[in-house]
Amino acid sequence: MAQAWRCSGLRWSADGPVLAWEGGRRSALTRGKRVAFGVGQGEGGGRTCVGARGNACPLGAAVPGRSTGARCGECARLDRAHSVAADTLADDPRPYRVYLAWFGPGMTKVGITAVRRGPARLLEQGAVCFSWLGTGPLMAARRAEELLRAALRVPDRIPYADKRAVRADLPAGEGDRAAEIAGLHARAVALDGWPESLVREPFRPVDHVGVFGLAGVPPAVGEVSELVAGGAVSGELVAAAGPDLHLATGRGVVVLDTRLLAGWELLPAGGRELAVPVRTVRERAATQDGLF
């Protein structure tokens, strides 16, 4: 019987995206590579909780196939118990950066990330381009984030469905892609109430179109909505952005959110392309307003 593997997520390294597996193995994801796997039945016949903070789920709880978190309610609460995102690490002494990230026309967000992580957070989110805004203590970074949300109506989240909907229709030039965050950056650093301990950063846009392989990528016709026991996925990798793999299949480009892989036993497979539920890519939601 073929050996089963459990995926622990997509990671972005200096050399590009890799799939990480429980036990430490990694698989590089190079464009043109065929991504193919079958979905095992598992002991309980389905997907199980991945646990929290390096610990296995004590209940081995089942989790829904459509969940991108792959954790039961109790493990999800434990995982967020010491989380910057959940505001439970207010006394973290490490320096943080505030950033502006752009995902497509009318889709800019503000966020924070630890300085030690460099641009990893932006790659993980699928930011098409970004610029640092300020650097300083965690709570000062949080105050700046809140200031932009209140004064300039800049959100701190962009739905992944909206990001996917525009990747094949981005402006061709780097300057055009950076234009929205350029204007917003100038307005943000000039705001009254800027935290004194947060050092303003100059506008220096970083573009990820080449890193993601989005130049000339065909529009996606569908998205894998969930994996199912006994199912299979196979396609040629044409682009990767954030957690998403854009796979060329017989029916067109289909997006696979790799967060859906966690909690399943995955097996080597070939022959079947898409023996899993696939939903049609929806039209992009209305663009945000109020930036200028």
Side-chain angles (χ1 to χ4, degrees):
M1 182 176 178
Q3 181 179 3
W5 296 86
R6 286 186 172 269
C7 182
S8 58
L10 187 148
R11 306 284 186 266
W12 281 91
S13 71
D15 298 322
V18 297
L19 279 179
W21 306 92
E22 291 183 7
R25 179 187 175 191
R26 295 196 167 199
S27 302
L29 292 168
T30 54
R31 290 195 289 279
K33 179 177 183 177
R34 178 152 293 274
V35 176
F37 60 86
V39 186
Q41 301 286 344
E43 293 184 6
R47 190 186 192 195
T48 55
C49 174
V50 297
R53 309 190 69 78
N55 300 301
C57 176
L59 302 177
V63 292
R66 292 175 182 260
S67 168
T68 55
R71 290 186 173 90
C72 66
E74 189 60 35
C75 286
R77 285 190 289 274
L78 178 60
D79 191 62
R80 291 177 63 85
H82 295 84
S83 166
V84 170
D87 279 335
T88 55
L89 283 179
D91 58 348
D92 189 342
R94 295 172 297 182
Y96 280 78
R97 276 174 164 162
V98 187
Y99 61 80
L100 290 171
W102 185 87
F103 301 89
M107 289 190 292
T108 301
K109 64 157 282 187
V110 61
I112 67 173
T113 186
V115 168
R116 64 181 176 83
R117 296 207 67 210
R121 181 65 179 146
L122 286 305
L123 291 164
E124 292 166 357
Q125 294 181 67
V128 175
C129 69
F130 79 93
S131 177
W132 302 122
L133 190 59
T135 302
L138 173 58
M139 295 315 294
R142 275 288 186 225
R143 286 196 297 274
E145 188 181 39
E146 290 290 343
L147 179 63
L148 264 68
R149 284 205 295 259
L152 301 180
R153 299 176 61 192
V154 185
D156 63 350
R157 295 180 187 276
I158 301 289
Y160 273 100
D162 290 351
K163 299 175 188 179
R164 295 168 186 143
V166 299
R167 284 181 186 149
D169 194 30
L170 297 170
E174 289 190 16
D176 295 329
R177 294 193 291 268
E180 287 187 36
I181 56 172
L184 188 57
H185 186 284
R187 296 182 66 203
V189 297
L191 285 171
D192 292 333
W194 185 270
E196 292 183 3
S197 57
L198 195 72
V199 178
R200 293 171 174 83
E201 297 270 5
F203 179 67
R204 293 195 181 103
V206 178
D207 194 273
H208 287 153
V209 163
V211 175
F212 293 153
L214 295 178
V217 66
V221 299
E223 304 171 355
V224 174
S225 56
E226 62 180 311
L227 301 187
V228 293
V233 173
S234 178
E236 179 186 333
L237 182 66
V238 294
D244 296 339
L245 304 182
H246 291 239
L247 304 176
T249 72
R251 67 174 73 177
V253 172
V254 173
V255 178
L256 170 65
D257 185 337
T258 55
R259 296 175 299 174
L260 297 175
L261 274 57
W264 288 102
E265 289 188 347
L266 303 179
L267 309 164
R272 294 182 297 167
E273 271 202 332
L274 291 169
V276 293
V278 176
R279 59 173 172 256
T280 302
V281 173
R282 67 176 176 80
E283 292 185 2
R284 178 188 169 189
T287 59
Q288 71 189 54
D289 57 12
L291 291 184
F292 302 104

